[in-house]
Amino acid sequence: MPAGTGLKDATAIVGIGQTPFARHLPEDERTLACRAVIAALDDAGIAPGEVDALASYTMEETDEVELAKAVGFGDLTFFSKIGFGGGGSCATVAHLASAIACGQATVGVAWRSRKRGSGPRPWTNTAVQLPTPAQWTRPFGLLRPADEIAMLARRWLHEYGATRDHLFNVALACRNRANQNPAAVMYERPLTREMYMSSRWISEPLCLYDNCLETDGALACVVVSAERARDCRRRPVYVHSAAQGLPAQHHGMVNYWNDDPLTGPAWTAARHLWKHADFTPPDVDVAQIYDAFTPLVPLSLEGYGFCARGEGGAFTEGGALETGGRLPLNTGGGGLSEAYVHGFNLINEGVKQLRGTSTAQVPGAATCLVTAGEGVPTSALLLRN
Amino acid sequence: MLTPVTDSDGAPFWRYAARGELRVQACGACGEPRFPPRPCCPHCRSFASEWRLMSGQGRIWSWVVPHPPLLPDYAALAPYNVILVELAEAPRIRLVGNLVSAPGAALDSFPPDRIRIGARVRAVFTGDGLVQWVLERP
Ligand SMILES: [Zn+2]
């Protein structure tokens, strides 16, 4: 095997699971995590006792020890936690794939459980507002991720002549797909341009519909070797390429002290991701792009090479992100309209597309890009069937 | 309102600001300015640093107007502006701040519809240790 290609199609996602998504679920995060993990293992047809690897986010409150005891895992030989919130989603799968490909483990589970719909919101807690990097931003009232990303969004709109209609195109594509997905929080709740343009501001230039949902819910997926995957219940979805990205001189969320704040971590992850892939951006059939805020989508379209620098807004025109468009996007509804579970729903939706079981199925979809949070140290996956 | 929680690297910035001086950390060996402050120079790895006096002049690189839900003290002033200023002498150093109508005025004292990217601003100091910004040519 040539150096640097060790991960290519060596592992596959063979099981996915999720709880319902809602503004409020009565169960706690640990219980939701157990439900999602058991559902994913059932989907794969793999017994919990065979699990020997775990990967999750550092912001996950359900720790490995508690999950392993509750679900009844076997002896674990690999466990990994990825930092930087939504930037970690794809890296959970990447870490499991790496561990399995090099023999550190055989069956890996990644998960995310979250109660941001009914639980506390970080920015309401003044005690945690000022860890030292925040001394440069928060005293001035730049308090929330929405404010921090809005600053980049304003500059991007200004520099490239993009418009709020471009951001609306992103919100609309996600909402339209959610309207096809009965599990989505925004199922049967259509969005119009009039609603978007007249909605309340969150942080100008971002309005209500530029922001993801506050959701309770949990998801999980199961990763095994490609060889093992052939014997599983479901059609394997191969991890074709995976990357993390933490650019030189990056400063999380407020990348304002970089030479070029508008080329964020997506650019770094993309260089590694495509270097090890057998296909290129025009060959991607469907994309699941992290959408905590609408501007992250055009910035990611530029970073992952679907268009040139500054053309992310124009790329969204003419229904490009809709079913049948140039790049069908966030086909479960994404963080904007299905559920915001730190992007893990994008991974599972990518698997559904390549199994042919999405509620907004792209006919014949064989390749899918999944990305994690942009604006923070990030990660991405190329999946294929 | 939130006040800065400083660390050993950042503390000099706030001490100078409280004295009415805008200074940024620069490498004591190669002279490269850096922000936020940190222990050593990413260009030459020197641990020597100096705090270089800035003119206080800059331009607005971007700006936002936060609306509630916000922390209570900020919600009471919302909508207010937050601007990002690139310093005239060191354009890659961009400071988060607020554009106010006059030194010491509140975060919501400047009308947002008059804010423009590229507008020239200058730093003013109010004695409470936070730098504020006013339009160079109001
Ligand atoms: Zn130096």
Side-chain angles (χ1 to χ4, degrees):
Chain A
M1 196 182 291
T5 61
L7 217 54
K8 187 190 291 181
D9 302 328
T11 62
I13 299 174
V14 293
I16 53 174
Q18 69 189 48
T19 65
F21 304 129
R23 186 68 183 250
H24 174 72
L25 295 173
E27 294 181 322
D28 63 19
E29 285 178 346
R30 188 166 51 174
T31 305
L32 295 172
C34 291
R35 290 194 185 283
V37 167
I38 290 168
L41 287 165
D42 279 349
D43 185 53
I46 291 177
E50 292 188 67
V51 174
D52 55 8
L54 294 178
S56 60
Y57 304 51
T58 56
M59 289 183 175
E60 173 60 44
E61 298 297 322
T62 306
D63 76 20
E64 298 93 330
V65 173
E66 295 304 314
L67 187 70
K69 276 191 296 192
V71 178
F73 294 146
D75 294 344
L76 299 179
T77 57
F78 180 90
F79 31 94
S80 173
K81 286 207 167 203
I82 296 98
F84 310 107
S89 57
C90 293
T92 59
V93 173
H95 283 212
L96 293 175
S98 298
I100 291 165
C102 68
Q104 294 297 106
T106 59
V107 176
V109 168
W111 83 96
R112 182 79 177 108
S113 176
R114 211 161 184 258
K115 292 196 76 165
R116 271 293 289 281
S118 61
R121 296 176 185 202
W123 67 82
T124 61
N125 182 355
T126 48
V128 300
Q129 283 290 313
L130 285 166
T132 49
Q135 69 186 295
W136 310 111
T137 55
R138 301 245 162 102
F140 308 99
L142 197 73
L143 300 174
R144 307 158 300 183
D147 306 315
E148 296 167 331
I149 296 299
M151 192 75 86
L152 293 174
R154 168 95 64 190
R155 180 71 191 195
W156 176 80
L157 290 163
H158 169 85
E159 203 157 312
Y160 297 115
T163 66
R164 290 189 66 215
D165 265 304
H166 293 134
L167 302 181
F168 166 65
N169 289 341
V170 173
L172 181 65
C174 291
R175 183 62 66 90
N176 286 344
R177 299 295 83 71
N179 282 314
Q180 296 172 260
N181 176 8
V185 171
M186 291 296 172
Y187 181 57
E188 291 183 329
R189 293 179 67 180
L191 177 67
T192 65
R193 187 174 182 278
E194 166 66 20
M195 288 164 68
Y196 177 91
M197 291 297 172
S198 61
S199 72
R200 66 185 171 90
W201 294 113
I202 299 298
S203 194
E204 297 175 50
L206 301 184
C207 72
L208 178 66
Y209 297 109
D210 292 311
N211 289 262
C212 60
L213 305 169
E214 298 289 0
T215 315
D216 287 5
L219 300 110
C221 73
V222 181
V223 182
V224 298
S225 71
E227 190 179 22
R228 170 77 186 265
R230 285 192 279 274
D231 302 326
C232 285
R233 186 180 284 171
R234 298 286 201 161
R235 180 182 188 180
V237 169
Y238 294 98
V239 178
H240 183 67
S241 182
Q244 290 184 267
L246 198 176
Q249 298 296 313
H250 174 70
H251 188 109
M253 292 304 298
V254 288
N255 198 32
Y256 310 153
W257 304 295
N258 202 293
D259 284 2
D260 185 356
L262 296 180
T263 59
W267 292 75
T268 301
R271 277 192 289 273
H272 185 83
L273 193 73
W274 295 118
K275 190 165 68 183
H276 298 296
D278 291 345
F279 54 92
T280 61
D283 307 315
V284 170
D285 295 324
V286 57
Q288 316 296 336
I289 294 182
Y290 193 91
D291 58 346
F293 308 102
T294 54
L296 300 183
V297 171
L299 287 170
S300 298
L301 291 170
E302 296 174 15
Y304 286 98
F306 292 95
C307 59
R309 175 82 191 269
E311 292 178 1
F315 187 95
T316 69
E317 293 170 3
L321 307 180
E322 304 282 342
T323 302
R326 203 161 16 151
L327 187 68
L329 182 87
N330 297 4
T331 44
L336 289 164
S337 283
E338 182 187 30
Y340 184 61
V341 195
H342 254 160
F344 209 104
N345 52 323
L346 300 174
I347 300 172
N348 282 15
E349 176 61 22
V351 172
K352 290 173 194 172
Q353 279 288 346
L354 300 185
R355 286 177 173 181
T357 61
S358 170
T359 50
Q361 185 61 42
V362 172
T367 59
C368 180
L369 168 72
V370 186
T371 76
E374 172 60 347
V376 293
T378 194
S379 52
L381 297 169
L382 287 175
L383 303 176
R384 56 164 291 250
N385 60 16
Chain B
M1 306 296 276
L2 298 170
T3 51
V5 173
T6 69
D7 56 7
S8 55
D9 294 316
F13 178 93
W14 300 108
R15 278 202 303 275
Y16 287 120
R19 296 192 335 220
E21 292 180 5
L22 182 65
R23 288 180 183 263
V24 299
Q25 190 188 33
C27 177
C30 76
E32 193 69 31
R34 61 181 188 256
F35 192 88
R38 74 204 77 155
C40 62
C41 172
H43 303 278
C44 75
R45 260 58 68 180
S46 169
F47 282 73
S49 71
E50 59 182 30
W51 283 82
R52 192 175 296 165
L53 185 64
M54 297 282 117
S55 67
Q57 293 172 322
R59 285 175 180 272
I60 296 176
W61 189 85
S62 188
W63 55 283
V64 300
V65 181
H67 292 247
L70 292 159
L71 295 171
D73 288 349
Y74 292 87
L77 294 171
Y80 55 86
N81 73 76
V82 187
I83 62 172
L84 190 60
V85 178
E86 53 184 13
L87 299 182
E89 300 95 329
R92 283 174 296 170
I93 293 179
R94 306 179 183 96
L95 299 180
V96 175
N98 306 105
L99 187 61
V100 294
S101 58
L107 303 193
D108 62 347
S109 60
F110 194 92
D113 59 2
R114 290 186 49 212
I115 303 175
R116 298 284 180 272
I117 286 177
R120 290 176 191 277
V121 293
R122 76 185 151 81
V124 292
F125 299 87
T126 58
D128 66 356
L130 286 187
V131 184
Q132 293 186 313
W133 300 88
V134 295
L135 274 191
E136 186 75 270
R137 283 189 290 269

